[in-house]
Amino acid sequence: MLKVILSGLCVLAAAAPLAAAVSPANIAGRWQGKSWAQQEHEASLTLDIVRCGEGWCGIKVASDNTCGATALKIGAGKVEPDSDYIAFEGSLQLAPKTEPYVVQVSIFEPDADEGPGKPLKLQITGDTGGQFRAYRRSFPYEAQLVRSGDAVCHAPQTVSSLR
C-alpha cells in the first residue's frame, strides 16, 4: 500500500511543473535573440517587455544597453486551450516612420529534451497589411528570443498598450 501511495505522489510531483506552466506575467523581462525580416539578413534583437496599460510594451534595447523607443505593443495575453503557450496580439514597429507589423507573440517553456533550467522562449511572428493571418506559409517578420533577465527599461507614461 505504501508503494502505491508513494508512486501516486511521485506522479503528482512530476505533473506539478506542467500544471504551473507559463502565465501571461512571464512575459515581463529582458528578451534577446535573432530576428529575420523578409529579404534581409539575420539581426540581433533585445526587448525589455514591461507592463503597459492593460497590456505589455517592448522597449528596444541598443547594443550598448541603452533604452530606445517602444517597439512592441501587445494585449494582456490569453492562455490557449489544451496548449503549453500563451498568445499575445498587437503591433511591432522597429524603426520610426515604417509600417508596423501586426504580430502574434507567444511565450512557452523549452522542450523537455533541452534539459531543466533552460529559459523561457518567445516567438514573434509578424505580418503587414493590418491583419494577422495565422495560416499563411511564411511571414515577413519572425524572431525567436529567450528570456535573459529582468527588464531595465520602462515604458513612457503616455504609451497605451494597444495604440
Side-chain angles (χ1 to χ4, degrees):
M1 182 64 160
L2 183 59
K3 281 186 177 182
V4 172
I5 292 172
L6 287 176
S7 59
L9 289 174
C10 288
V11 169
L12 288 174
L18 297 175
V22 184
S23 76
N26 289 131
I27 198 164
R30 178 159 289 186
W31 296 86
Q32 296 178 301
K34 301 294 181 191
S35 66
W36 295 267
Q38 190 173 22
Q39 300 176 357
E40 291 182 20
H41 298 289
E42 175 182 306
S44 184
L45 177 65
T46 301
L47 293 173
D48 274 5
I49 299 181
V50 296
R51 180 58 83 183
C52 178
E54 295 295 316
W56 301 93
C57 289
I59 294 82
K60 194 170 179 187
V61 180
S63 59
D64 63 356
N65 281 330
T66 57
C67 301
T70 301
L72 179 69
K73 298 173 189 172
I74 54 177
K78 63 179 181 175
V79 178
E80 294 296 325
D82 298 324
S83 70
D84 57 353
Y85 70 95
I86 309 288
F88 302 82
E89 294 180 356
S91 65
L92 175 71
Q93 186 172 17
L94 294 172
K97 299 182 182 180
T98 60
E99 181 181 4
Y101 293 103
V102 178
V103 294
Q104 182 177 46
V105 178
S106 302
I107 57 172
F108 50 94
E109 292 184 356
D111 295 331
D113 61 348
E114 292 181 47
K118 297 293 183 184
L120 293 175
K121 293 183 178 185
L122 182 137
Q123 170 78 31
I124 302 173
T125 307
D127 199 357
T128 55
Q131 180 181 355
F132 185 79
R133 296 169 288 182
Y135 296 105
R136 46 180 300 148
R137 296 181 86 169
S138 64
F139 292 91
Y141 183 83
E142 291 186 70
Q144 287 86 36
L145 312 175
V146 293
R147 191 172 192 287
S148 62
D150 294 332
V152 175
C153 303
H154 302 284
Q157 293 291 333
T158 58
V159 176
S160 167
S161 67
L162 296 178
R163 262 195 241 169

